[in-house]
Structure formats: C-alpha cells, structure tokens
Amino acid sequence: MKYLLQVTAAVALCAGVAHADVIKVGVVGPFSGGAALQGRNFQAGIEAYFALHGKTVGEHEIEVIYRDLPAADPGQSAALTQELIVGEGVQYLAGYYYTPDAMAAAPILEEANVPMVIFNAATSAIVNASPLVVRTSFTTFQTSTPMATVARERGISKAITVVSDYGPGIDAETAFVRAFGAAGGETVQSVRMPMTTVDFSPIMQRIKDSGAEAVFAFLPAGPQTLGFMTAFVENGLKDAGVQLLAPGDLTQESDLPVLGPNAAGMLTTFHYAVSHNSPENIAFIEAASNWLGNPDELSFPAVGAYDGMTVIARMIEATDGRQDAAAAVEAVKGMEWISPRGPVSINPENRHLTQNIYLREVAEVEGKWINHELQVFENQGDPGWVAP
Amino acid sequence: MQTILSIGVDAFAYGMVLFVISIGLSVTMGLMKFANLAHGAFAMIGGYVASYATQALGWHFGFALLAAVAACMVLAVPLERFLYRRFYGASELRQVLMTIGLTFMIIGIANWLMGPTLKTIALPPALQGPVDIGFRSVPAHKIFAAVVGLLVAIGLWLLIERTFFGVKLRAAVDDAPMAEALGIRTKIVYAISFSIAIGLAALGGVVGAQLLPIEPQYALHHMVTFLVVVSVGGAGSIGGALAACLILGTVKTTGSYLMPEFGNFFFYLAVIAIVAVFPNGLMGRAK
C-alpha cells in the first residue's frame, strides 16, 4: 500500500513536471560554410525573439537545438532531422535554408508527430510536401510577380530576363515572364546563366543586343551579385538607361555596403527591408543587432526566423506543451500578427504566409546604403502555389 | 562583326585575368613539382590584405597591391621552411591532402577574422568605370589586369630563361643532388621560388578581385579553374599557361554569349579535347 502511494506520488509528480516542461525546438540551417551568414541570421532572429518575448510560453520553457548543414544536402538534412527527433526528442522542427533540405525532411513529420516551420526555403511546393509544414519566409514567385506591374507602370514594354540556371532562378523567370505578359509587356529573351559564371561581360553584351528597355535578373545572394552589378555598370548598360529589376535577394542588406555604388537606383520587390519604418521593426533590429554584434550583417533570414518563433510559441500555447502536431498546425491556420516586415497572416488553405511586398530602391541615406521603400503591394499570397 | 570583336575583347580580358591568377600555381606545380592546392587560399589572403588596406586604412590601391604581395611573400617563408619543405618529393596525394587541409584552415581563419561577408578592394578612379576603345567600352580594371598579365608573363620568362637564378632553379629541379654538388644551395632556391609563386598568387587575387570577389569560400570556389589552366597549359610553362588562358577564355566567353543555357559544357569539352591530344598540356614537357 505504501509502495503504491509512492508510485502514485511519483507518477503525479512526473505528470506535473511534464506539463511545465522544456520544449525542444530543432533548428537546421547553414551555420558554417558559404552561407554561414544566413545561418547567423537564423540565430539572430531566434535570439531577438527571446530577447523581446522571453524564453517561456506559459509554464513551458523553449530550448533551441541547432544542427549545422553547411550546403544544400538532402541526405544529410534527413539524417540531422531524424537525429533531432529521435536523439534529442524535439517537438518542433524549424529553419531549413534550402528547398531540397526541407523537402527531404518533410516525409518524416507525420510519423514523428512534429510540425515544421520554414524560416527561409522559398519554393512554392514545400507546403504541399506535408500538411505539417508552415512557412514564415516567402516564395520567389511571391516576391518576383509584383515587379511586372512595376515595370509596366514605369512604361517598360520590352524586357529581357537573366537568371541563374537553378530552381529559384527558373521560378523567378517564370513568375516575371507570366505576370509581365499578362500586363501587356513583351519578354524579348530569357537567358539562363550557369551557376558558376564569374565573367558577366558576354551576358551584358547579350542584354545590349536584345534591345530591351529593362532587365529582370535573379542570382543567388553573395559574390555573384557583386560581379553581375559591377559588369552591368562597367559595360555601360546603366549609362544607356537600361533599368535593372530584381527580387530583393540581390540587394540584401548584408551585401549592400559593397554593392551600393553600382546598385544605386536599382528597383527590387521583396517582403522585408531592414529600413522598414515601424515600431515592431525598430525593436526587432535593435535586439537582432545586439546579438549579431555588427548591425551590417542583418539580413532577411532573421525576420523569417523571428516570425517562425512567434508561430512556434503560439503552437506551444495552443497545445499546452503536449506533442500534438496536427493540433499545433491547426491552431496557427489563419493566425494574424504584426511582424517586423508589416502585417502578415497564415493562409489556412496552404499554410503559406500572406504578406506585403514592397517596391524598394537602392539609395544612400546618411552615408549608409539601404533599400528605400517606395510602394506597397498589400496582402500578397503565393501566386506560384497550386493545390496538390 | 561588332559582336565578334566584342566577344574577342571580352575573351582576351577574361583570359588574362585567369592567367594572372593561375600562373603562380603553374610555377609551383611545374618547376617545383609541388601540387599546391592552397594556391587559391594565398590569392584570397592577398585579396583580404588589399581590401583591408584600401577600405580600413585608406591606402592607395598601388600601395595596397604591393603590401598584399609583400605580406604573402613574407608569410610564405616560415610556411615553406616548417611545412612545405617536409613534403618536397612526397607523393602527390600527400601534397594534395596537406594543402587541402591548409586551405580549410585558411578559410576558417579568414571567416573568423574578416567575417563571412564579401570584401571589395577600392580601385583608384582611373581603374573604375568603362573605357571607350572605339567600337565599344571595356571596364578599365580588365585592361589593367591584361597589362599586368602580359608584364608578369614577360617578367617570369626573363627570370627563368635569362637570369642566373633561373639557371639555378632549372638545375635544382632537374637534378637536385647534382645541383647541390655543384654548390647551388637548392633549399634557398626552392624557398625563393616558393615565395615568388605565393607572391604571384597574391597579385592574382588582388588584380582579379573584380571578377572573382574576395570571400571566405574563394579558395574552394575557384580551385578547379586554376587546376584546369595548369593542366591544359602544361605545368611550369609560361607560354603554355598563356595559350591555355586565351583558348579557354575564348571558349567560355563565346559559349556564354551564344548559348548560356549550355553552361560550362563547351569549356569542359575544350579541356577534355586538349588534354586528350596533349596529355602533358599544350607546352608541357613529357615526364
């Protein structure tokens, strides 16, 4: 009898503790290697969330466990995800910089009863990979499509597209060509460049020869954009009055100190600019920069991570710490809040983020290069998404 | 016609930049018989030094260029003495493993010291912007790179073929024990050659930085390109490296103008074709 009491007491105690438990969140991202800066931005976003909202949700404390995936590697992504679930016992998965990595981890979710919150990967199809995927990033379709409207409004009727020959580049090309055609413009040529291109002079010659009034470009952020924009200026295209248009990946703030002079006046459409003027964003920037040390390193993946933590906190609150992936995802469908990027909501149908897309111009303000917001396209969904 | 001329100009400029960056590797691999895969890492260090000197210290580009070359040559001395020297004559595999390891270490240190973001080198006004050459405009820094490339080619050729040091170097490479017996201090000859090769790497890193921007992954991103130039041209041959760069530059530029969607297909097709016909490279010596 005494033994039974002891056991009961022990079980009760455990159950009580289990409710005010540590909730583990596994974050997969590039924390070393070529995209290490973007991984640091994941961390900055998460730490900014903790700094502003605390590490606890009700009785539950959030613990983040990081796993490093330096380059797109689906096999390694699946292995790390499994290890996080089985070895660490995480209740939530988050992060994922590259689409293939998110895709490789998605099939595990239902069996493991774990939701996944995408901080960055930007292909429309990810939300179709599992009903437990929620996205707080953006898609290349979403950010590229409004650019066609911008081009038409500025009287451009002939454009050429120049993109890096890989998934997001082809998405950007398709999105722009489709929307530009629908708005009555003509895409005279579509050039796909190899990923490893370093000398862009031949491409610039091609743009010149095409007779287009504007070029819509997409390249992965980083060293290539510098070469591209330098070549654009040095081969005389800027002086010839050709307008350079792109989604905001090309002018991310962490690259602007070096891109600035050559990118001046360039138009981009994107979901987030560090210069966005709102109280939420100012608080966010301060918290994220404090963690980063160098404010110039802040870039868009941080805001994806920050909002991702907002969503995860809501999930924990709704399930009171229980591991119930379906209920957690159900609880955030239709969720609306004010993000540092502006008002956002989660589309209940496809769990993708509906958000404002801003037209920005690269400009120098008080000695610092920024993406200056000119125009807002409100409540944009994902035009690339098709029902599975 | 104008298009053909344009492609020609771009091809020449790109080829010369390739030459400036790769020739140091050709010297180590051909003359010193050392497979130094850390070549790109030294080019990157040169780039970082020049970037720091021009951006943070506000130095003129010319001084920054000299400082970068000098810093790398000085750095090469202890590295050669305590690390590389132990691997002379070792199997190529061991040399490759050692230098790849060194590359990863340099990448890690660069990332830690300079951060993961892009670095640029401030050019003087004369090297910025386009230069009108009659039928089109060409970026001024490409003309500068081409001139530097030609000067390096002539200078190296004179050094190796026309000076007493060149004679000693060739003797030390061909038969080290015999050269030693004749009173040539081969260790010093090797140390100087290595230092020059690293200096050339740094020069290439700085001069080519407009085309190959400086960032921590630089050493790995461009390793294959450097190796291709050396194997197509023939290790140790200055004329061969020059010819290889101009041919590969032409193939790549023409391909990316006419059929960019084929990517690097024509580039590697040309590499395979040349190496199939000339197994030792265009002007390499048979082993």
Side-chain angles (χ1 to χ4, degrees), chain A residues 33-34 37 165 191-194 196 198-199 201-203 205-206 209 222-223 226 230 233-236 254-255 258 297, chain B residues 3 6 10 14 116-118 120 130 136-137 139 141-142 210-213 215 217 222 253 256-258 260-261 263-264:
Chain A
L37 184 64
D165 197 358
V191 178
R192 294 179 181 175
M193 308 173 282
T196 51
V198 290
D199 182 16
S201 289
I203 303 286
Q205 191 60 36
R206 194 85 191 229
D209 294 351
L226 176 62
T230 315
V233 173
E234 285 177 340
N235 287 279
S254 51
D255 289 340
V258 296
E297 289 184 359
Chain B
T3 303
S6 263
D10 282 334
Y14 177 63
T117 50
L118 280 177
T120 50
R136 62 163 286 186
S137 56
H141 66 80
K142 278 195 175 177
Q210 302 298 314
L211 226 48
L212 314 181
E215 36 94 26
Q217 300 294 310
H222 309 302
T253 306
S256 60
Y257 178 80
L258 295 175
E261 61 275 17
N264 291 324

Side-chain angles (χ1 to χ4, degrees), chain A residues 134-173:
Chain A
V134 178
R135 191 206 307 272
T136 57
S137 55
F138 62 98
T139 68
T140 310
F141 261 93
Q142 191 179 27
T143 54
S144 300
T145 302
M147 193 45 102
T149 314
V150 173
R152 292 297 291 146
E153 277 174 4
R154 300 199 168 217
I156 290 160
S157 55
K158 283 163 93 183
I160 179 172
T161 65
V162 176
V163 302
S164 283
D165 197 358
Y166 77 130
I170 292 161
D171 271 6
E173 179 195 291

Side-chain angles (χ1 to χ4, degrees), chain A residues 8-296:
Chain A
T8 317
V11 168
L13 204 66
C14 284
V17 171
H19 259 275
D21 213 345
V22 172
I23 310 280
K24 291 183 177 174
V25 177
V27 175
V28 178
F31 300 109
S32 68
L37 184 64
Q38 313 298 38
R40 268 174 69 74
N41 270 286
F42 278 1
Q43 277 178 287
I46 293 168
E47 293 295 334
Y49 180 83
F50 288 151
L52 295 175
H53 304 280
K55 284 193 99 164
T56 52
V57 179
E59 302 272 284
H60 315 289
E61 194 188 340
I62 303 174
E63 184 191 346
V64 178
I65 298 166
Y66 293 101
R67 285 292 178 272
D68 183 21
L69 189 60
D73 184 346
Q76 184 66 8
S77 171
L80 289 174
T81 305
Q82 238 149 12
E83 196 265 321
L84 279 169
I85 292 168
V86 179
E88 299 284 350
V90 299
Q91 270 192 41
Y92 297 91
L93 283 168
Y96 299 95
Y97 190 71
Y98 299 105
T99 295
D101 299 336
M103 287 299 209
I108 312 168
L109 301 178
E110 285 197 80
E111 198 190 324
N113 193 20
V114 169
M116 171 191 269
V117 180
I118 304 287
F119 287 177
N120 183 72
T123 313
S124 302
I126 300 174
V127 287
N128 289 346
S130 161
L132 297 179
V133 174
V134 178
R135 191 206 307 272
T136 57
S137 55
F138 62 98
T139 68
T140 310
F141 261 93
Q142 191 179 27
T143 54
S144 300
T145 302
M147 193 45 102
T149 314
V150 173
R152 292 297 291 146
E153 277 174 4
R154 300 199 168 217
I156 290 160
S157 55
K158 283 163 93 183
I160 179 172
T161 65
V162 176
V163 302
S164 283
D165 197 358
Y166 77 130
I170 292 161
D171 271 6
E173 179 195 291
T174 315
F176 181 81
V177 170
R178 201 186 278 173
F180 194 56
E186 186 201 351
T187 307
V188 289
Q189 267 182 49
S190 287
V191 178
R192 294 179 181 175
M193 308 173 282
M195 287 287 285
T196 51
T197 304
V198 290
D199 182 16
F200 293 96
S201 289
I203 303 286
M204 295 304 153
Q205 191 60 36
R206 194 85 191 229
I207 296 171
K208 227 182 254 179
D209 294 351
S210 77
E213 300 150 88
V215 50
F216 174 83
F218 182 89
L219 299 91
Q224 287 207 308
T225 57
L226 176 62
F228 185 84
M229 282 180 223
T230 315
F232 182 80
V233 173
E234 285 177 340
N235 287 279
L237 287 170
K238 193 174 185 177
D239 288 344
V242 179
Q243 179 68 52
L244 182 53
L245 312 169
D249 309 68
L250 266 79
T251 60
Q252 64 165 338
E253 279 78 3
S254 51
D255 289 340
L256 273 185
V258 296
L259 294 178
N262 285 330
M266 178 178 170
L267 295 175
T268 57
T269 40
F270 215 36
H271 62 291
Y272 176 68
V274 175
S275 66
H276 183 70
N277 191 10
S278 73
E280 292 81 13
N281 190 41
I282 290 165
F284 164 76
I285 290 171
E286 196 194 338
S289 305
N290 273 347
W291 185 85
L292 277 169
N294 178 3
D296 285 345

Side-chain angles (χ1 to χ4, degrees), chain B residues 54-74:
Chain B
T54 54
Q55 304 285 13
L57 305 178
W59 288 15
H60 186 269
F61 175 75
F63 292 116
L65 177 66
L66 292 178
V69 173
C72 285
M73 289 181 81
V74 169

Side-chain angles (χ1 to χ4, degrees), chain B residues 34-162:
Chain B
F34 199 103
N36 182 20
L37 294 198
H39 183 77
F42 291 106
M44 181 175 86
I45 296 176
Y48 272 121
V49 172
S51 165
Y52 185 78
T54 54
Q55 304 285 13
L57 305 178
W59 288 15
H60 186 269
F61 175 75
F63 292 116
L65 177 66
L66 292 178
V69 173
C72 285
M73 289 181 81
V74 169
L75 176 70
V77 174
L79 272 177
E80 195 273 343
R81 173 67 186 83
F82 296 109
L83 189 60
Y84 278 79
R85 189 175 287 181
R86 296 166 193 272
F87 291 85
Y88 288 155
S91 71
E92 278 150 0
L93 182 62
R94 288 186 63 199
Q95 294 177 344
V96 162
L97 285 176
M98 189 279 278
T99 50
I100 283 192
L102 187 65
T103 305
F104 279 112
M105 285 175 62
I106 294 175
I107 287 174
I109 294 169
N111 213 336
W112 176 63
L113 275 181
M114 307 297 290
T117 50
L118 280 177
K119 294 285 178 286
T120 50
I121 298 168
L123 294 175
L127 293 182
Q128 284 172 4
V131 171
D132 200 346
I133 55 165
F135 61 98
R136 62 163 286 186
S137 56
V138 181
H141 66 80
K142 278 195 175 177
I143 298 175
F144 172 69
V147 172
V148 170
L150 287 174
L151 292 178
V152 166
I154 295 166
L156 261 186
W157 183 81
L158 287 175
L159 178 73
I160 294 169
E161 302 292 334
R162 288 284 181 270

